[in-house]
Amino acid sequence: MHYDIVIVGGGAGGLELAARLGRKLGRRRGAEKVLLIDRTVFHIWKPTLHEVAAGTLDTHQEGLSYPLLARRNHFSFTLGELSALDPAARRLTLAVMADEQGRELAPERSITFTHLVLAIGGGANLFGTPGAEKARLLENTADAERFHTRLLTAFTRASFAADRSLAIAIVGGGATGVELSAELIEAHNEFLGGLAKDQRFRLDVTILEAAERILGQLPEKISTQAQTALERKGVKVLTGAKVQSVEDDRVVTLLGDIPASIIVWAAGVKAADSNTTLGLETNRLNQFLANDRLETSAPDIWAMGDCAAAPWTEGRTIPARAAAAHQQADYLARVLTARLAERRHEAPFRYRDFGSLVSLGESRGVGSLMGGLGGPNFFIEGLIAKWIYMSLHLAHHRAILGTTKTVVLALARLLQERVSGRLKLH
Ligand SMILES: Cc1cc2nc3c(=O)[nH]c(=O)nc-3n(C[C@H](O)[C@H](O)[C@H](O)COP(=O)(O)OP(=O)(O)OC[C@H]3O[C@@H](n4cnc5c(N)ncnc54)[C@H](O)[C@@H]3O)c2cc1C
């Protein structure tokens, strides 16, 4: 099978790119020329995984199936997991896929391409910490759903336990850890709401951060505000708590042992080890090295999003953020449209940092907005910060569904919450 443009990874960046290209090329040409490959059948925007984990977002309501998105946006889709790449022959291999019983679902396949975009994302960085693999990760929908099931079981167990308490430790005080902790507190409050008096239990959520402050990538004022808001909600924040090892029932840190029934690893970003076997140059985080046009070390192969290390400013690389993947999708859509018309799009990619926002639960956010690269930095918090935070999610839906369907979906979600409550308890 051959396609002019093959995109591997239908996440925050790859799916938007496929949708933009498909719509630009139109119904017939788009489906003929653009192929999106993903190892899952439906798409969830990754920054909402902590909500899935806490049960405040339902995957069945939120998830969008790739074949449906492909039909609506005029590209082709195939289920598959990239396992090998021959950059010189412009050929990639998709591994055999099996169902839950281990029976073959899809055979190994070869696909050739003229242009290839790698958008396969990344995961957490365990930093070689002993026992870290025992902790729960939030790398994909399956992780988040498993976490949710475990959480509900733990809630029920705690409500009948002698000490009526549950301890959860989150390793990493970055955006993921902070947002998850706030979401867990809200899930607990909703859960307790209707519970019999003698079944109410205490939830202890502790964030363990090795650095001197949480949200180290953001201005200090935001770290302080976020920590105060979390502590008000009842979250315990331990900074300078470098994790030495993870045991089944506790985390061993420089500050001592933290007992926990559920341990979540939400620290660092690292791409898949298998990225180093694909014949492209990679860095120590297994990200594909890319230049300021997002081109990798092989001709006509680009990398975007969390799996790419592309230059930004002051020797740093573009951060692993949904906003960066969103802008890169827009840029590569222009580059590849020009390529199909046998033109070159000369301008390099410029990442514009509009600031960062962190959600602290249903009605509160905190963050900073920037006028532009190096421009003035505005501090923002409360409901407005939360709304701007949500607008990134809406921008993603708009890129793959269009404005009308995005509005309908947002309204449907709001109404559903009014009827069934915010927390998914089953
Ligand atoms: C809980 C959480 C909260 C976050 N919150 C924020 C936030 O508030 N703001 C923000 O800017 N960023 C946030 N992020 C980071 C953001 O989600 C990522 O930066 C963004 O999703 C990166 O987009 P991507 O397209 O590179 O990869 P992803 O969105 O991770 O998509 C990668 C896709 O590739 C597929 N894939 C992977 N390997 C293969 C393979 N071998 N073969 C085929 N398909 C493959 C996966 O199934 C997936 O669909 C958060 C992340 C998490 C986990």
Side-chain angles (χ1 to χ4, degrees), residues 8-14 37-40 46-47 49-50 66 80-82 119-121 138 176 179 304-306 320-323 325 389 392:
V8 189
I37 302 169
D38 201 284
R39 60 184 176 189
T40 58
K46 200 170 173 181
L49 285 186
H50 60 282
Y66 284 114
E81 177 157 27
L82 176 71
I120 52 182
L138 279 191
T176 305
E179 291 178 349
M304 67 184 296
D306 290 4
R321 284 188 198 155
Y389 170 88
L392 231 191

PDB file of all heavy atoms in Angstrom, residues 8-14 37-40 46-47 49-50 66 80-82 119-121 138 176 179 304-306 320-323 325 389 392, ligand 1:
ATOM      1  N   VAL A   8       1.890   9.041  11.303  1.00  0.00           N
ATOM      2  CA  VAL A   8       1.782   7.994  12.332  1.00  0.00           C
ATOM      3  C   VAL A   8       1.529   8.666  13.675  1.00  0.00           C
ATOM      4  O   VAL A   8       2.338   9.465  14.136  1.00  0.00           O
ATOM      5  CB  VAL A   8       3.052   7.118  12.407  1.00  0.00           C
ATOM      6  CG1 VAL A   8       2.788   5.924  13.319  1.00  0.00           C
ATOM      7  CG2 VAL A   8       3.487   6.653  11.045  1.00  0.00           C
ATOM      8  N   GLY A   9       0.409   8.343  14.292  1.00  0.00           N
ATOM      9  CA  GLY A   9       0.028   8.921  15.579  1.00  0.00           C
ATOM     10  C   GLY A   9      -1.101   9.921  15.399  1.00  0.00           C
ATOM     11  O   GLY A   9      -0.914  10.975  14.799  1.00  0.00           O
ATOM     12  N   GLY A  10      -2.285   9.575  15.919  1.00  0.00           N
ATOM     13  CA  GLY A  10      -3.458  10.454  15.764  1.00  0.00           C
ATOM     14  C   GLY A  10      -3.799  11.138  17.070  1.00  0.00           C
ATOM     15  O   GLY A  10      -4.944  11.120  17.513  1.00  0.00           O
ATOM     16  N   GLY A  11      -2.804  11.753  17.709  1.00  0.00           N
ATOM     17  CA  GLY A  11      -3.040  12.446  18.975  1.00  0.00           C
ATOM     18  C   GLY A  11      -3.318  13.923  18.761  1.00  0.00           C
ATOM     19  O   GLY A  11      -3.862  14.340  17.724  1.00  0.00           O
ATOM     20  N   ALA A  12      -2.919  14.726  19.755  1.00  0.00           N
ATOM     21  CA  ALA A  12      -3.179  16.164  19.713  1.00  0.00           C
ATOM     22  C   ALA A  12      -2.647  16.785  18.419  1.00  0.00           C
ATOM     23  O   ALA A  12      -3.296  17.653  17.827  1.00  0.00           O
ATOM     24  CB  ALA A  12      -2.527  16.827  20.922  1.00  0.00           C
ATOM     25  N   GLY A  13      -1.474  16.339  17.945  1.00  0.00           N
ATOM     26  CA  GLY A  13      -0.882  16.930  16.745  1.00  0.00           C
ATOM     27  C   GLY A  13      -1.254  16.194  15.469  1.00  0.00           C
ATOM     28  O   GLY A  13      -1.756  16.794  14.504  1.00  0.00           O
ATOM     29  N   GLY A  14      -1.028  14.878  15.424  1.00  0.00           N
ATOM     30  CA  GLY A  14      -1.199  14.094  14.192  1.00  0.00           C
ATOM     31  C   GLY A  14      -2.620  14.123  13.657  1.00  0.00           C
ATOM     32  O   GLY A  14      -2.836  14.248  12.446  1.00  0.00           O
ATOM     33  N   ILE A  37      -2.302   6.695  10.727  1.00  0.00           N
ATOM     34  CA  ILE A  37      -2.167   5.386  11.397  1.00  0.00           C
ATOM     35  C   ILE A  37      -2.169   5.639  12.903  1.00  0.00           C
ATOM     36  O   ILE A  37      -1.456   6.519  13.379  1.00  0.00           O
ATOM     37  CB  ILE A  37      -0.828   4.716  11.017  1.00  0.00           C
ATOM     38  CG1 ILE A  37      -0.724   4.525   9.500  1.00  0.00           C
ATOM     39  CG2 ILE A  37      -0.650   3.383  11.748  1.00  0.00           C
ATOM     40  CD1 ILE A  37       0.664   4.123   9.021  1.00  0.00           C
ATOM     41  N   ASP A  38      -2.957   4.873  13.645  1.00  0.00           N
ATOM     42  CA  ASP A  38      -2.859   4.933  15.111  1.00  0.00           C
ATOM     43  C   ASP A  38      -3.073   3.531  15.650  1.00  0.00           C
ATOM     44  O   ASP A  38      -3.763   2.715  15.051  1.00  0.00           O
ATOM     45  CB  ASP A  38      -3.874   5.908  15.726  1.00  0.00           C
ATOM     46  CG  ASP A  38      -3.441   6.349  17.124  1.00  0.00           C
ATOM     47  OD1 ASP A  38      -3.587   5.555  18.084  1.00  0.00           O
ATOM     48  OD2 ASP A  38      -2.928   7.475  17.261  1.00  0.00           O
ATOM     49  N   ARG A  39      -2.472   3.285  16.833  1.00  0.00           N
ATOM     50  CA  ARG A  39      -2.591   1.939  17.405  1.00  0.00           C
ATOM     51  C   ARG A  39      -3.859   1.760  18.221  1.00  0.00           C
ATOM     52  O   ARG A  39      -4.091   0.696  18.771  1.00  0.00           O
ATOM     53  CB  ARG A  39      -1.363   1.615  18.244  1.00  0.00           C
ATOM     54  CG  ARG A  39      -1.137   2.560  19.405  1.00  0.00           C
ATOM     55  CD  ARG A  39       0.144   2.234  20.120  1.00  0.00           C
ATOM     56  NE  ARG A  39       0.390   3.201  21.169  1.00  0.00           N
ATOM     57  CZ  ARG A  39       1.520   3.283  21.851  1.00  0.00           C
ATOM     58  NH1 ARG A  39       2.502   2.467  21.558  1.00  0.00           N
ATOM     59  NH2 ARG A  39       1.671   4.180  22.786  1.00  0.00           N
ATOM     60  N   THR A  40      -4.666   2.819  18.310  1.00  0.00           N
ATOM     61  CA  THR A  40      -5.963   2.672  18.986  1.00  0.00           C
ATOM     62  C   THR A  40      -7.079   3.041  18.005  1.00  0.00           C
ATOM     63  O   THR A  40      -6.818   3.686  16.989  1.00  0.00           O
ATOM     64  CB  THR A  40      -6.062   3.610  20.209  1.00  0.00           C
ATOM     65  OG1 THR A  40      -5.865   4.951  19.752  1.00  0.00           O
ATOM     66  CG2 THR A  40      -5.003   3.293  21.249  1.00  0.00           C
ATOM     67  N   LYS A  46      -5.289  14.024  24.879  1.00  0.00           N
ATOM     68  CA  LYS A  46      -4.507  13.561  26.030  1.00  0.00           C
ATOM     69  C   LYS A  46      -4.570  14.474  27.273  1.00  0.00           C
ATOM     70  O   LYS A  46      -4.593  13.963  28.399  1.00  0.00           O
ATOM     71  CB  LYS A  46      -3.052  13.368  25.593  1.00  0.00           C
ATOM     72  CG  LYS A  46      -2.259  12.486  26.493  1.00  0.00           C
ATOM     73  CD  LYS A  46      -0.921  12.178  25.843  1.00  0.00           C
ATOM     74  CE  LYS A  46      -0.026  11.428  26.785  1.00  0.00           C
ATOM     75  NZ  LYS A  46       1.268  11.152  26.172  1.00  0.00           N
ATOM     76  N   PRO A  47      -4.601  15.796  27.124  1.00  0.00           N
ATOM     77  CA  PRO A  47      -4.665  16.610  28.339  1.00  0.00           C
ATOM     78  C   PRO A  47      -5.910  16.388  29.195  1.00  0.00           C
ATOM     79  O   PRO A  47      -6.009  16.950  30.287  1.00  0.00           O
ATOM     80  CB  PRO A  47      -4.639  18.053  27.809  1.00  0.00           C
ATOM     81  CG  PRO A  47      -3.944  17.953  26.504  1.00  0.00           C
ATOM     82  CD  PRO A  47      -4.355  16.617  25.932  1.00  0.00           C
ATOM     83  N   LEU A  49      -6.770  13.291  30.162  1.00  0.00           N
ATOM     84  CA  LEU A  49      -6.661  11.949  30.755  1.00  0.00           C
ATOM     85  C   LEU A  49      -6.800  11.951  32.277  1.00  0.00           C
ATOM     86  O   LEU A  49      -7.313  10.998  32.863  1.00  0.00           O
ATOM     87  CB  LEU A  49      -5.326  11.291  30.376  1.00  0.00           C
ATOM     88  CG  LEU A  49      -5.220  10.762  28.946  1.00  0.00           C
ATOM     89  CD1 LEU A  49      -3.910  10.009  28.752  1.00  0.00           C
ATOM     90  CD2 LEU A  49      -6.394   9.860  28.591  1.00  0.00           C
ATOM     91  N   HIS A  50      -6.356  13.040  32.934  1.00  0.00           N
ATOM     92  CA  HIS A  50      -6.505  13.058  34.394  1.00  0.00           C
ATOM     93  C   HIS A  50      -7.986  13.129  34.784  1.00  0.00           C
ATOM     94  O   HIS A  50      -8.376  12.647  35.838  1.00  0.00           O
ATOM     95  CB  HIS A  50      -5.721  14.233  35.003  1.00  0.00           C
ATOM     96  CG  HIS A  50      -6.165  15.571  34.525  1.00  0.00           C
ATOM     97  ND1 HIS A  50      -5.807  16.081  33.302  1.00  0.00           N
ATOM     98  CD2 HIS A  50      -6.974  16.484  35.090  1.00  0.00           C
ATOM     99  CE1 HIS A  50      -6.368  17.255  33.150  1.00  0.00           C
ATOM    100  NE2 HIS A  50      -7.079  17.524  34.208  1.00  0.00           N
ATOM    101  N   TYR A  66     -11.713   7.042  15.043  1.00  0.00           N
ATOM    102  CA  TYR A  66     -10.894   7.495  13.906  1.00  0.00           C
ATOM    103  C   TYR A  66     -11.577   7.296  12.542  1.00  0.00           C
ATOM    104  O   TYR A  66     -11.525   8.191  11.697  1.00  0.00           O
ATOM    105  CB  TYR A  66      -9.533   6.790  13.911  1.00  0.00           C
ATOM    106  CG  TYR A  66      -8.579   7.334  14.958  1.00  0.00           C
ATOM    107  CD1 TYR A  66      -8.181   6.551  16.030  1.00  0.00           C
ATOM    108  CD2 TYR A  66      -8.088   8.630  14.879  1.00  0.00           C
ATOM    109  CE1 TYR A  66      -7.315   7.039  16.991  1.00  0.00           C
ATOM    110  CE2 TYR A  66      -7.224   9.131  15.843  1.00  0.00           C
ATOM    111  CZ  TYR A  66      -6.836   8.335  16.894  1.00  0.00           C
ATOM    112  OH  TYR A  66      -5.984   8.822  17.850  1.00  0.00           O
ATOM    113  N   GLY A  80      -2.958   0.450  13.419  1.00  0.00           N
ATOM    114  CA  GLY A  80      -1.662  -0.235  13.337  1.00  0.00           C
ATOM    115  C   GLY A  80      -0.654   0.394  14.265  1.00  0.00           C
ATOM    116  O   GLY A  80      -0.770   1.550  14.649  1.00  0.00           O
ATOM    117  N   GLU A  81       0.349  -0.406  14.619  1.00  0.00           N
ATOM    118  CA  GLU A  81       1.412   0.093  15.504  1.00  0.00           C
ATOM    119  C   GLU A  81       2.733   0.066  14.742  1.00  0.00           C
ATOM    120  O   GLU A  81       3.167  -0.985  14.267  1.00  0.00           O
ATOM    121  CB  GLU A  81       1.506  -0.793  16.749  1.00  0.00           C
ATOM    122  CG  GLU A  81       2.634  -0.366  17.653  1.00  0.00           C
ATOM    123  CD  GLU A  81       2.439  -0.817  19.085  1.00  0.00           C
ATOM    124  OE1 GLU A  81       1.752  -1.840  19.290  1.00  0.00           O
ATOM    125  OE2 GLU A  81       2.974  -0.141  19.979  1.00  0.00           O
ATOM    126  N   LEU A  82       3.337   1.245  14.637  1.00  0.00           N
ATOM    127  CA  LEU A  82       4.618   1.342  13.930  1.00  0.00           C
ATOM    128  C   LEU A  82       5.659   0.491  14.658  1.00  0.00           C
ATOM    129  O   LEU A  82       5.872   0.663  15.857  1.00  0.00           O
ATOM    130  CB  LEU A  82       5.071   2.815  13.931  1.00  0.00           C
ATOM    131  CG  LEU A  82       6.443   3.091  13.316  1.00  0.00           C
ATOM    132  CD1 LEU A  82       6.407   2.915  11.806  1.00  0.00           C
ATOM    133  CD2 LEU A  82       6.913   4.506  13.671  1.00  0.00           C
ATOM    134  N   ALA A 119       4.217  11.406  14.681  1.00  0.00           N
ATOM    135  CA  ALA A 119       3.528  12.188  15.730  1.00  0.00           C
ATOM    136  C   ALA A 119       3.096  11.223  16.822  1.00  0.00           C
ATOM    137  O   ALA A 119       1.937  11.217  17.240  1.00  0.00           O
ATOM    138  CB  ALA A 119       2.324  12.909  15.116  1.00  0.00           C
ATOM    139  N   ILE A 120       4.051  10.395  17.283  1.00  0.00           N
ATOM    140  CA  ILE A 120       3.677   9.273  18.160  1.00  0.00           C
ATOM    141  C   ILE A 120       3.771   9.592  19.653  1.00  0.00           C
ATOM    142  O   ILE A 120       3.657   8.704  20.492  1.00  0.00           O
ATOM    143  CB  ILE A 120       4.475   7.991  17.817  1.00  0.00           C
ATOM    144  CG1 ILE A 120       5.974   8.271  17.788  1.00  0.00           C
ATOM    145  CG2 ILE A 120       3.998   7.406  16.508  1.00  0.00           C
ATOM    146  CD1 ILE A 120       6.819   7.049  17.412  1.00  0.00           C
ATOM    147  N   GLY A 121       3.974  10.867  19.993  1.00  0.00           N
ATOM    148  CA  GLY A 121       3.885  11.291  21.395  1.00  0.00           C
ATOM    149  C   GLY A 121       4.990  10.733  22.282  1.00  0.00           C
ATOM    150  O   GLY A 121       6.036  10.292  21.805  1.00  0.00           O
ATOM    151  N   LEU A 138      -0.240   7.592  33.482  1.00  0.00           N
ATOM    152  CA  LEU A 138      -1.378   8.158  32.747  1.00  0.00           C
ATOM    153  C   LEU A 138      -0.926   8.486  31.345  1.00  0.00           C
ATOM    154  O   LEU A 138      -0.867   9.643  30.951  1.00  0.00           O
ATOM    155  CB  LEU A 138      -1.865   9.435  33.427  1.00  0.00           C
ATOM    156  CG  LEU A 138      -2.778   9.317  34.630  1.00  0.00           C
ATOM    157  CD1 LEU A 138      -3.348  10.662  34.990  1.00  0.00           C
ATOM    158  CD2 LEU A 138      -3.923   8.346  34.352  1.00  0.00           C
ATOM    159  N   THR A 176       0.451  17.721  35.121  1.00  0.00           N
ATOM    160  CA  THR A 176      -0.338  16.490  35.215  1.00  0.00           C
ATOM    161  C   THR A 176      -0.632  16.150  36.673  1.00  0.00           C
ATOM    162  O   THR A 176      -1.777  15.875  37.047  1.00  0.00           O
ATOM    163  CB  THR A 176       0.406  15.312  34.544  1.00  0.00           C
ATOM    164  OG1 THR A 176       0.706  15.698  33.213  1.00  0.00           O
ATOM    165  CG2 THR A 176      -0.419  14.059  34.527  1.00  0.00           C
ATOM    166  N   GLU A 179      -3.010  18.837  38.277  1.00  0.00           N
ATOM    167  CA  GLU A 179      -4.393  18.740  37.796  1.00  0.00           C
ATOM    168  C   GLU A 179      -5.065  17.472  38.313  1.00  0.00           C
ATOM    169  O   GLU A 179      -6.229  17.490  38.705  1.00  0.00           O
ATOM    170  CB  GLU A 179      -4.415  18.786  36.262  1.00  0.00           C
ATOM    171  CG  GLU A 179      -4.023  20.169  35.750  1.00  0.00           C
ATOM    172  CD  GLU A 179      -3.969  20.277  34.236  1.00  0.00           C
ATOM    173  OE1 GLU A 179      -4.031  19.244  33.561  1.00  0.00           O
ATOM    174  OE2 GLU A 179      -3.860  21.410  33.745  1.00  0.00           O
ATOM    175  N   MET A 304       6.818  15.728  14.955  1.00  0.00           N
ATOM    176  CA  MET A 304       6.095  16.810  15.637  1.00  0.00           C
ATOM    177  C   MET A 304       5.608  16.366  17.015  1.00  0.00           C
ATOM    178  O   MET A 304       5.556  15.172  17.301  1.00  0.00           O
ATOM    179  CB  MET A 304       4.884  17.235  14.796  1.00  0.00           C
ATOM    180  CG  MET A 304       3.826  16.155  14.704  1.00  0.00           C
ATOM    181  SD  MET A 304       2.448  16.579  13.620  1.00  0.00           S
ATOM    182  CE  MET A 304       1.754  17.964  14.461  1.00  0.00           C
ATOM    183  N   GLY A 305       5.251  17.324  17.840  1.00  0.00           N
ATOM    184  CA  GLY A 305       4.688  17.013  19.158  1.00  0.00           C
ATOM    185  C   GLY A 305       5.727  16.473  20.125  1.00  0.00           C
ATOM    186  O   GLY A 305       6.921  16.744  20.015  1.00  0.00           O
ATOM    187  N   ASP A 306       5.252  15.676  21.084  1.00  0.00           N
ATOM    188  CA  ASP A 306       6.113  15.209  22.182  1.00  0.00           C
ATOM    189  C   ASP A 306       7.243  14.288  21.708  1.00  0.00           C
ATOM    190  O   ASP A 306       8.225  14.119  22.435  1.00  0.00           O
ATOM    191  CB  ASP A 306       5.275  14.433  23.217  1.00  0.00           C
ATOM    192  CG  ASP A 306       4.338  15.326  24.003  1.00  0.00           C
ATOM    193  OD1 ASP A 306       4.275  16.539  23.705  1.00  0.00           O
ATOM    194  OD2 ASP A 306       3.671  14.814  24.926  1.00  0.00           O
ATOM    195  N   ALA A 320       6.953  20.000  25.482  1.00  0.00           N
ATOM    196  CA  ALA A 320       5.964  18.947  25.176  1.00  0.00           C
ATOM    197  C   ALA A 320       4.597  19.408  25.671  1.00  0.00           C
ATOM    198  O   ALA A 320       4.208  19.131  26.797  1.00  0.00           O
ATOM    199  CB  ALA A 320       6.384  17.653  25.879  1.00  0.00           C
ATOM    200  N   ARG A 321       3.911  20.149  24.828  1.00  0.00           N
ATOM    201  CA  ARG A 321       2.601  20.700  25.204  1.00  0.00           C
ATOM    202  C   ARG A 321       1.634  20.541  24.046  1.00  0.00           C
ATOM    203  O   ARG A 321       2.033  20.602  22.877  1.00  0.00           O
ATOM    204  CB  ARG A 321       2.715  22.209  25.469  1.00  0.00           C
ATOM    205  CG  ARG A 321       3.335  22.551  26.777  1.00  0.00           C
ATOM    206  CD  ARG A 321       3.196  24.042  26.994  1.00  0.00           C
ATOM    207  NE  ARG A 321       4.132  24.502  28.007  1.00  0.00           N
ATOM    208  CZ  ARG A 321       4.580  25.734  28.093  1.00  0.00           C
ATOM    209  NH1 ARG A 321       4.182  26.645  27.214  1.00  0.00           N
ATOM    210  NH2 ARG A 321       5.414  26.077  29.026  1.00  0.00           N
ATOM    211  N   ALA A 322       0.361  20.416  24.382  1.00  0.00           N
ATOM    212  CA  ALA A 322      -0.666  20.288  23.354  1.00  0.00           C
ATOM    213  C   ALA A 322      -0.677  21.528  22.455  1.00  0.00           C
ATOM    214  O   ALA A 322      -0.910  21.438  21.250  1.00  0.00           O
ATOM    215  CB  ALA A 322      -2.021  20.102  24.011  1.00  0.00           C
ATOM    216  N   ALA A 323      -0.391  22.696  23.057  1.00  0.00           N
ATOM    217  CA  ALA A 323      -0.416  23.934  22.275  1.00  0.00           C
ATOM    218  C   ALA A 323       0.672  23.908  21.191  1.00  0.00           C
ATOM    219  O   ALA A 323       0.456  24.391  20.073  1.00  0.00           O
ATOM    220  CB  ALA A 323      -0.197  25.123  23.207  1.00  0.00           C
ATOM    221  N   ALA A 325       1.911  21.109  19.764  1.00  0.00           N
ATOM    222  CA  ALA A 325       1.475  20.141  18.753  1.00  0.00           C
ATOM    223  C   ALA A 325       0.427  20.781  17.831  1.00  0.00           C
ATOM    224  O   ALA A 325       0.430  20.563  16.611  1.00  0.00           O
ATOM    225  CB  ALA A 325       0.914  18.902  19.441  1.00  0.00           C
ATOM    226  N   TYR A 389      -8.292  27.917  29.757  1.00  0.00           N
ATOM    227  CA  TYR A 389      -7.738  26.551  29.736  1.00  0.00           C
ATOM    228  C   TYR A 389      -8.633  25.657  28.871  1.00  0.00           C
ATOM    229  O   TYR A 389      -8.170  24.897  28.030  1.00  0.00           O
ATOM    230  CB  TYR A 389      -7.666  26.048  31.180  1.00  0.00           C
ATOM    231  CG  TYR A 389      -7.336  24.580  31.341  1.00  0.00           C
ATOM    232  CD1 TYR A 389      -6.014  24.156  31.406  1.00  0.00           C
ATOM    233  CD2 TYR A 389      -8.343  23.625  31.436  1.00  0.00           C
ATOM    234  CE1 TYR A 389      -5.707  22.804  31.557  1.00  0.00           C
ATOM    235  CE2 TYR A 389      -8.048  22.278  31.588  1.00  0.00           C
ATOM    236  CZ  TYR A 389      -6.730  21.877  31.652  1.00  0.00           C
ATOM    237  OH  TYR A 389      -6.435  20.546  31.794  1.00  0.00           O
ATOM    238  N   LEU A 392      -8.485  25.732  24.886  1.00  0.00           N
ATOM    239  CA  LEU A 392      -7.495  24.934  24.132  1.00  0.00           C
ATOM    240  C   LEU A 392      -8.134  23.618  23.670  1.00  0.00           C
ATOM    241  O   LEU A 392      -7.932  23.161  22.548  1.00  0.00           O
ATOM    242  CB  LEU A 392      -6.325  24.608  25.047  1.00  0.00           C
ATOM    243  CG  LEU A 392      -4.904  24.876  24.614  1.00  0.00           C
ATOM    244  CD1 LEU A 392      -3.911  24.221  25.561  1.00  0.00           C
ATOM    245  CD2 LEU A 392      -4.597  24.473  23.184  1.00  0.00           C
TER     246      LEU A 392
HETATM  247  C1  LIG B   1      -2.763  13.991  32.131  1.00  0.00           C
HETATM  248  C2  LIG B   1      -2.118  14.952  31.150  1.00  0.00           C
HETATM  249  C3  LIG B   1      -2.465  16.302  31.193  1.00  0.00           C
HETATM  250  C4  LIG B   1      -1.886  17.205  30.288  1.00  0.00           C
HETATM  251  N1  LIG B   1      -2.286  18.524  30.329  1.00  0.00           N
HETATM  252  C5  LIG B   1      -1.800  19.376  29.411  1.00  0.00           C
HETATM  253  C6  LIG B   1      -2.250  20.725  29.391  1.00  0.00           C
HETATM  254  O1  LIG B   1      -3.050  21.149  30.231  1.00  0.00           O
HETATM  255  N2  LIG B   1      -1.754  21.568  28.433  1.00  0.00           N
HETATM  256  C7  LIG B   1      -0.868  21.130  27.487  1.00  0.00           C
HETATM  257  O2  LIG B   1      -0.463  21.929  26.624  1.00  0.00           O
HETATM  258  N3  LIG B   1      -0.432  19.860  27.479  1.00  0.00           N
HETATM  259  C8  LIG B   1      -0.869  18.961  28.414  1.00  0.00           C
HETATM  260  N4  LIG B   1      -0.424  17.666  28.411  1.00  0.00           N
HETATM  261  C9  LIG B   1       0.586  17.272  27.391  1.00  0.00           C
HETATM  262  C10 LIG B   1      -0.120  17.003  26.054  1.00  0.00           C
HETATM  263  O3  LIG B   1      -1.102  16.030  26.247  1.00  0.00           O
HETATM  264  C11 LIG B   1       0.906  16.552  25.021  1.00  0.00           C
HETATM  265  O4  LIG B   1       1.922  17.517  24.913  1.00  0.00           O
HETATM  266  C12 LIG B   1       0.232  16.350  23.652  1.00  0.00           C
HETATM  267  O5  LIG B   1      -0.810  15.401  23.728  1.00  0.00           O
HETATM  268  C13 LIG B   1       1.268  15.895  22.638  1.00  0.00           C
HETATM  269  O6  LIG B   1       0.642  15.624  21.421  1.00  0.00           O
HETATM  270  P1  LIG B   1       1.247  14.560  20.410  1.00  0.00           P
HETATM  271  O7  LIG B   1       0.409  14.615  19.179  1.00  0.00           O
HETATM  272  O8  LIG B   1       2.709  14.748  20.286  1.00  0.00           O
HETATM  273  O9  LIG B   1       1.085  13.145  21.130  1.00  0.00           O
HETATM  274  P2  LIG B   1      -0.196  12.427  21.746  1.00  0.00           P
HETATM  275  O10 LIG B   1      -1.313  13.344  21.923  1.00  0.00           O
HETATM  276  O11 LIG B   1       0.336  11.671  22.914  1.00  0.00           O
HETATM  277  O12 LIG B   1      -0.596  11.383  20.604  1.00  0.00           O
HETATM  278  C14 LIG B   1       0.240  10.330  20.211  1.00  0.00           C
HETATM  279  C15 LIG B   1      -0.591   9.339  19.413  1.00  0.00           C
HETATM  280  O13 LIG B   1       0.300   8.393  18.824  1.00  0.00           O
HETATM  281  C16 LIG B   1      -0.226   7.083  18.960  1.00  0.00           C
HETATM  282  N5  LIG B   1       0.924   6.173  18.938  1.00  0.00           N
HETATM  283  C17 LIG B   1       1.940   6.127  19.824  1.00  0.00           C
HETATM  284  N6  LIG B   1       2.861   5.221  19.442  1.00  0.00           N
HETATM  285  C18 LIG B   1       2.412   4.683  18.292  1.00  0.00           C
HETATM  286  C19 LIG B   1       2.918   3.691  17.401  1.00  0.00           C
HETATM  287  N7  LIG B   1       4.079   3.058  17.625  1.00  0.00           N
HETATM  288  N8  LIG B   1       2.198   3.382  16.309  1.00  0.00           N
HETATM  289  C20 LIG B   1       1.001   4.007  16.059  1.00  0.00           C
HETATM  290  N9  LIG B   1       0.486   4.957  16.851  1.00  0.00           N
HETATM  291  C21 LIG B   1       1.182   5.294  17.964  1.00  0.00           C
HETATM  292  C22 LIG B   1      -0.998   7.110  20.275  1.00  0.00           C
HETATM  293  O14 LIG B   1      -2.019   6.129  20.312  1.00  0.00           O
HETATM  294  C23 LIG B   1      -1.573   8.536  20.268  1.00  0.00           C
HETATM  295  O15 LIG B   1      -2.856   8.593  19.680  1.00  0.00           O
HETATM  296  C24 LIG B   1      -0.946  16.740  29.315  1.00  0.00           C
HETATM  297  C25 LIG B   1      -0.595  15.385  29.286  1.00  0.00           C
HETATM  298  C26 LIG B   1      -1.171  14.492  30.196  1.00  0.00           C
HETATM  299  C27 LIG B   1      -0.774  13.026  30.147  1.00  0.00           C
END
